[in-house]
Amino acid sequence: FIEEEGADLRESLKELIPHGFGVHHAGMSAFERNAVEKLFMDKKIRVLVCTSTLAWGVNLPTHAVIIKGTQIYSPQQKGTTYLSSLDVLQMFGRAGRKGFDSFGEACIITTAEDVQYYLCILNHQLDIESQFVNHLPDGLNAEIVLGNVSSIADGAAWLQHTYHYIRTLKCPKKYGTTIPKSDPHIEAFRANLIHSAAMKLA
């Protein structure tokens, strides 16, 4: 393949492919990605290092999946967050696909503090998490119209009566915060959420 069609491949790929290794990411050209996918399907590439996008957009069954690292950057939270349960299950679903293999293997490499979270994912024991913050501006707007909220302090107090607040106290890391000893009821965090939602309404 390298001799016949590999002229447009970058040198690093040309060096890897003969050894049965490949890479796949958004920084590659369409030709390179298609070539790597075809070689992997044809079992010319045995080990493919790729981004999570491959598990979503390309149907590439495999025998084994290894997820290395479970913290990803979230623009919404302006920091790192967990790799979602949907991402993990989607990637693991590539292993041992019926019709391609008799069984599959999946491995996740994470930190000791996060391992329980991912064990819960695989055992389908996850708690129901709040998605309210995604719709907070709408909820805040309704409370303002009803006359229940007229200040940041009012909004923060209102937020304290939501399931989002309960889950944030239980699992602050999932909601992009910590619980300092000086602020056990995360008043500053709630005020910041209300301020951000109010700015979207302005």
Side-chain angles (χ1 to χ4, degrees), residues 66-87:
I66 300 173
I67 299 175
K68 183 180 181 298
T70 54
Q71 291 288 320
I72 59 173
Y73 180 76
S74 169
Q76 292 80 16
Q77 296 187 15
K78 298 180 180 178
T80 57
T81 186
Y82 286 105
L83 186 66
S84 75
S85 58
L86 195 59
D87 281 330

Side-chain angles (χ1 to χ4, degrees), residues 4-20:
E4 295 177 2
E5 304 179 42
D8 294 327
L9 294 178
R10 64 190 67 195
E11 289 301 318
S12 56
L13 269 179
K14 291 180 182 178
E15 293 176 8
L16 283 174
I17 289 172
H19 299 286

Side-chain angles (χ1 to χ4, degrees), residues 44 73 79 120 148 154 188 192:
K44 300 290 178 29
Y73 180 76
C120 287
N148 297 330
D154 288 345
N192 284 337

Side-chain angles (χ1 to χ4, degrees), residues 127-130 132 156 158-175 177 179 184-186 189-190 193:
D127 293 312
I128 297 173
E129 300 299 346
S130 171
F132 183 54
W158 162 68
L159 203 57
Q160 196 170 6
H161 298 284
T162 65
Y163 183 64
H164 179 272
Y165 171 71
I166 293 171
R167 289 304 301 161
T168 302
L169 287 183
K170 186 75 174 177
C171 302
K173 188 175 179 181
K174 291 182 185 177
Y175 293 86
T177 188
I179 303 179
H185 300 293
I186 52 172
F189 177 70
R190 285 185 282 123
L193 286 178

Side-chain angles (χ1 to χ4, degrees), residues 110-121 123 125-126:
T110 186
T111 61
E113 62 184 16
D114 292 345
V115 70
Q116 190 59 45
Y117 171 69
Y118 287 101
L119 283 174
C120 287
I121 288 177
N123 291 322
Q125 296 174 348
L126 284 182

Side-chain angles (χ1 to χ4, degrees), residues 37-54:
E37 291 165 21
K38 183 178 185 302
L39 289 169
F40 187 72
M41 285 293 291
D42 293 342
K43 298 185 178 181
K44 300 290 178 29
I45 289 176
R46 308 294 293 185
V47 178
L48 182 59
V49 181
C50 60
T51 57
S52 59
T53 308
L54 187 69

